[in-house]
Amino acid sequence: MKLHEYQSKQYFAKFGIPIPKGRVAATAVEAKTIAEELGSRVVIKSQVLVGGRGKAGGIRLAKTPEEAQEVATQILAMEIKGLPVRKVLVDEASSISQEIYLGITNDRAERKPVMMASAAGGVDIEEVARTHPEKIIKVHIDPLLGLKDFQARDIAAGIDLPREHWRMFGQIAHGLWQAYCASDSTLAEINPLVITSDNHLLALDGKIVLDDNALFRHCDLAEMRDLDAEVDSEIEARKYGLSFIKLDGSIGCMVNGAGLAMTTMDIIKLFGGEPANFLDIGGGAGAEKVAAALRIILSDSNVKAVLFNVFGGITRCDEVARGILEAMDEVKVEVPMVVRLVGTNAEEGRQILADANMITAETLADAAHKAVAAASVQA
Ligand code: GDP
Ligand code: MN
């Protein structure tokens, strides 16, 4: 689960990280009021759960409260990467002399959290990571010892931070580490952490990604979930306990098992197609769950074909087949469906689907090939 920028920054502030003054608004009139209260130039920032808002025009400065209202009106009417903007953060504007990146995430290979920093912060840290990986300083943190002072100093030195800021930078780095631990995050990030033109450090942007598996012990954070800001299909999937991630391709995938789901996506790409989603219906999924999954896949108008790849272990192929039929009763299926069933009760499963006008496949390669061909005919 992701927190919005305003939520992340408020959380960071509890751990001593300096953030700009400001508040969130749902209407342009509120934005104007906040700008009046702040009595300074403001920055109006769209609150959507995707990065790159700046580049998309979702972050703009305003000199007067009237201008703040006008800009807020425009931003509140925007859609950024398919997500409608429903709230804006109105912050006191800062003048920036340098933008720094500072973040913590899990390094699975090292089995440790890693703090990363770069003097080339601001937008597009991914681009920096690709083209100039040496500009990103990484320090692994021992989870038992926590972030040590010398590590924070090493990072400050590594990004050539002027000495006068090291104390404050240390405080911010420790605050970020504490925020990361206290919230059970998988990512806590400040991008940019700026040096203002009057020489202060300030967290202008904030991002927290919480570990869903630990949410049960963070009721206060779980309550911040903003359903309005999430993709409908992902909300629906969560209700049924399905692991679903919407993607941009044209082939809907229904698979049991995360590893098999990833393999299926890879092989679709290998045959020249693009998956429309990642979906793991899980072990032992019954007909009802399968029906829900199919509904969710077909609600995406990009989907031109559906590929079922089911390995019947605990999940029985005949159950899955019945689920597919059940779903086809409810949802109108207008795209070709390719099925590959192997394992427990596969024969019964195929029998059930034999009359349902579905394309059957023997191997995964065969299935991917047929799905890609079917999708390109439809497109
Ligand atoms: P993101 O694009 O979604 O990561 O949004 P950010 O909050 O990081 O803002 C993007 C960029 O907008 C920053 O890197 C800054 O360059 C700029 N920006 C954000 N807030 C301010 C501000 O208060 N003053 C100025 N001058 N620029 C800002
Ligand atoms: Mn940012």
Side-chain angles (χ1 to χ4, degrees), residues 98 100-102 116-120 135-137 152-162 166 169 193:
Q98 194 195 334
I100 294 163
Y101 173 92
L102 185 66
M116 294 172 292
S118 175
K135 287 191 182 163
I136 298 180
I137 306 293
R153 280 196 299 273
D154 279 353
I155 295 172
I159 60 169
D160 291 325
L161 188 74
W166 283 25
F169 180 81
L193 171 66

Short mmCIF file of all heavy atoms in Angstrom, two decimals, residues 98 100-102 116-120 135-137 152-162 166 169 193:
data_model
loop_
_atom_site.label_atom_id
_atom_site.label_comp_id
_atom_site.label_asym_id
_atom_site.label_seq_id
_atom_site.Cartn_x
_atom_site.Cartn_y
_atom_site.Cartn_z
N GLN A 98 19.81 23.11 -4.37
CA GLN A 98 20.23 21.78 -4.82
C GLN A 98 19.18 20.74 -4.46
O GLN A 98 18.52 20.85 -3.44
CB GLN A 98 21.56 21.39 -4.16
CG GLN A 98 22.21 20.18 -4.84
CD GLN A 98 23.32 19.55 -4.01
OE1 GLN A 98 23.95 20.20 -3.19
NE2 GLN A 98 23.55 18.26 -4.23
N ILE A 100 18.55 16.73 -3.71
CA ILE A 100 19.24 15.50 -3.31
C ILE A 100 18.22 14.38 -3.26
O ILE A 100 17.04 14.60 -2.98
CB ILE A 100 19.87 15.70 -1.90
CG1 ILE A 100 20.98 16.75 -1.97
CG2 ILE A 100 20.38 14.39 -1.32
CD1 ILE A 100 21.35 17.31 -0.61
N TYR A 101 18.68 13.17 -3.54
CA TYR A 101 17.82 11.99 -3.36
C TYR A 101 18.24 11.27 -2.10
O TYR A 101 19.43 11.07 -1.85
CB TYR A 101 17.96 11.04 -4.57
CG TYR A 101 17.22 9.74 -4.35
CD1 TYR A 101 15.91 9.59 -4.78
CD2 TYR A 101 17.82 8.68 -3.67
CE1 TYR A 101 15.21 8.41 -4.54
CE2 TYR A 101 17.13 7.50 -3.42
CZ TYR A 101 15.83 7.38 -3.86
OH TYR A 101 15.15 6.22 -3.61
N LEU A 102 17.26 10.85 -1.29
CA LEU A 102 17.56 10.02 -0.11
C LEU A 102 16.44 9.01 0.07
O LEU A 102 15.26 9.38 0.15
CB LEU A 102 17.68 10.90 1.15
CG LEU A 102 18.11 10.16 2.42
CD1 LEU A 102 19.53 9.62 2.31
CD2 LEU A 102 18.00 11.07 3.64
N MET A 116 20.04 4.79 0.20
CA MET A 116 20.64 5.28 -1.04
C MET A 116 20.55 6.80 -1.07
O MET A 116 19.57 7.37 -0.62
CB MET A 116 19.88 4.72 -2.24
CG MET A 116 20.03 3.22 -2.38
SD MET A 116 18.95 2.58 -3.66
CE MET A 116 17.35 2.85 -2.93
N ALA A 117 21.58 7.41 -1.62
CA ALA A 117 21.56 8.87 -1.73
C ALA A 117 22.27 9.28 -3.00
O ALA A 117 23.14 8.57 -3.50
CB ALA A 117 22.25 9.50 -0.52
N SER A 118 21.86 10.43 -3.51
CA SER A 118 22.52 10.96 -4.69
C SER A 118 22.43 12.48 -4.69
O SER A 118 21.42 13.06 -4.29
CB SER A 118 21.86 10.42 -5.96
OG SER A 118 22.44 11.04 -7.10
N ALA A 119 23.53 13.10 -5.15
CA ALA A 119 23.52 14.55 -5.29
C ALA A 119 22.68 14.96 -6.48
O ALA A 119 22.26 16.10 -6.60
CB ALA A 119 24.94 15.07 -5.44
N ALA A 120 22.43 13.98 -7.38
CA ALA A 120 21.61 14.26 -8.57
C ALA A 120 20.17 13.86 -8.31
O ALA A 120 19.62 12.99 -8.97
CB ALA A 120 22.17 13.52 -9.78
N LYS A 135 26.78 7.58 -9.38
CA LYS A 135 26.33 8.79 -8.68
C LYS A 135 25.36 8.47 -7.54
O LYS A 135 24.85 9.37 -6.88
CB LYS A 135 25.65 9.75 -9.65
CG LYS A 135 26.64 10.44 -10.58
CD LYS A 135 25.99 11.57 -11.33
CE LYS A 135 26.97 12.21 -12.29
NZ LYS A 135 26.29 13.03 -13.29
N ILE A 136 25.05 7.18 -7.37
CA ILE A 136 24.18 6.80 -6.26
C ILE A 136 25.00 6.07 -5.21
O ILE A 136 25.64 5.06 -5.48
CB ILE A 136 23.02 5.92 -6.76
CG1 ILE A 136 22.18 6.73 -7.76
CG2 ILE A 136 22.16 5.44 -5.59
CD1 ILE A 136 21.00 5.99 -8.33
N ILE A 137 25.02 6.64 -4.01
CA ILE A 137 25.77 6.06 -2.89
C ILE A 137 24.84 5.10 -2.16
O ILE A 137 23.69 5.42 -1.88
CB ILE A 137 26.19 7.17 -1.89
CG1 ILE A 137 26.95 8.29 -2.61
CG2 ILE A 137 26.98 6.60 -0.73
CD1 ILE A 137 28.28 7.87 -3.15
N ALA A 152 25.83 7.64 8.22
CA ALA A 152 25.19 8.87 7.74
C ALA A 152 26.25 9.85 7.26
O ALA A 152 26.09 10.50 6.22
CB ALA A 152 24.34 9.49 8.84
N ARG A 153 27.38 9.92 7.98
CA ARG A 153 28.47 10.82 7.57
C ARG A 153 29.10 10.35 6.26
O ARG A 153 29.41 11.15 5.39
CB ARG A 153 29.53 10.92 8.68
CG ARG A 153 29.15 11.87 9.81
CD ARG A 153 30.36 12.24 10.67
NE ARG A 153 30.95 11.07 11.31
CZ ARG A 153 30.56 10.57 12.49
NH1 ARG A 153 29.58 11.14 13.16
NH2 ARG A 153 31.15 9.50 13.01
N ASP A 154 29.27 9.03 6.13
CA ASP A 154 29.82 8.50 4.88
C ASP A 154 28.95 8.89 3.69
O ASP A 154 29.45 9.24 2.62
CB ASP A 154 29.87 6.96 4.92
CG ASP A 154 31.09 6.46 5.68
OD1 ASP A 154 31.94 7.29 6.05
OD2 ASP A 154 31.17 5.23 5.91
N ILE A 155 27.63 8.82 3.90
CA ILE A 155 26.72 9.17 2.81
C ILE A 155 26.85 10.66 2.50
O ILE A 155 26.97 11.05 1.34
CB ILE A 155 25.26 8.82 3.19
CG1 ILE A 155 25.11 7.30 3.33
CG2 ILE A 155 24.31 9.35 2.12
CD1 ILE A 155 23.77 6.86 3.89
N ALA A 156 26.86 11.48 3.55
CA ALA A 156 26.98 12.93 3.35
C ALA A 156 28.25 13.25 2.56
O ALA A 156 28.24 14.04 1.62
CB ALA A 156 26.98 13.64 4.69
N ALA A 157 29.35 12.58 2.94
CA ALA A 157 30.61 12.82 2.24
C ALA A 157 30.51 12.30 0.80
O ALA A 157 30.98 12.96 -0.13
CB ALA A 157 31.76 12.12 2.97
N GLY A 158 29.88 11.15 0.65
CA GLY A 158 29.77 10.51 -0.67
C GLY A 158 29.01 11.35 -1.68
O GLY A 158 29.26 11.25 -2.88
N ILE A 159 28.08 12.15 -1.20
CA ILE A 159 27.33 13.00 -2.14
C ILE A 159 27.86 14.45 -2.12
O ILE A 159 27.20 15.36 -2.61
CB ILE A 159 25.81 12.98 -1.87
CG1 ILE A 159 25.48 13.50 -0.46
CG2 ILE A 159 25.22 11.59 -2.08
CD1 ILE A 159 23.99 13.76 -0.24
N ASP A 160 29.03 14.62 -1.53
CA ASP A 160 29.67 15.94 -1.48
C ASP A 160 28.79 17.01 -0.84
O ASP A 160 28.77 18.16 -1.29
CB ASP A 160 30.07 16.42 -2.90
CG ASP A 160 31.20 15.58 -3.47
OD1 ASP A 160 32.07 15.18 -2.66
OD2 ASP A 160 31.19 15.33 -4.69
N LEU A 161 28.10 16.61 0.20
CA LEU A 161 27.25 17.58 0.89
C LEU A 161 28.15 18.54 1.67
O LEU A 161 29.05 18.10 2.38
CB LEU A 161 26.31 16.84 1.85
CG LEU A 161 25.22 17.65 2.52
CD1 LEU A 161 24.13 17.99 1.50
CD2 LEU A 161 24.60 16.88 3.68
N PRO A 162 27.92 19.85 1.55
CA PRO A 162 28.74 20.79 2.33
C PRO A 162 28.67 20.47 3.83
O PRO A 162 27.60 20.16 4.34
CB PRO A 162 28.10 22.15 2.02
CG PRO A 162 27.41 21.96 0.71
CD PRO A 162 26.97 20.52 0.68
N TRP A 166 25.92 18.63 7.49
CA TRP A 166 26.04 17.24 7.90
C TRP A 166 25.22 16.88 9.14
O TRP A 166 24.62 15.82 9.22
CB TRP A 166 27.53 16.89 8.16
CG TRP A 166 28.29 16.68 6.88
CD1 TRP A 166 27.99 17.18 5.66
CD2 TRP A 166 29.49 15.90 6.72
NE1 TRP A 166 28.91 16.78 4.74
CE2 TRP A 166 29.85 15.99 5.36
CE3 TRP A 166 30.29 15.14 7.58
CZ2 TRP A 166 30.98 15.35 4.84
CZ3 TRP A 166 31.42 14.51 7.06
CH2 TRP A 166 31.75 14.61 5.70
N PHE A 169 21.67 16.68 8.11
CA PHE A 169 21.51 15.52 7.23
C PHE A 169 21.48 14.23 8.07
O PHE A 169 20.67 13.33 7.83
CB PHE A 169 22.66 15.45 6.21
CG PHE A 169 22.54 14.28 5.28
CD1 PHE A 169 21.71 14.33 4.17
CD2 PHE A 169 23.25 13.10 5.52
CE1 PHE A 169 21.58 13.24 3.31
CE2 PHE A 169 23.13 12.01 4.68
CZ PHE A 169 22.29 12.08 3.57
N LEU A 193 15.20 15.93 -1.50
CA LEU A 193 15.58 16.60 -0.25
C LEU A 193 16.37 17.80 -0.74
O LEU A 193 17.35 17.62 -1.46
CB LEU A 193 16.46 15.67 0.58
CG LEU A 193 17.13 16.26 1.82
CD1 LEU A 193 16.10 16.65 2.87
CD2 LEU A 193 18.13 15.28 2.42
#
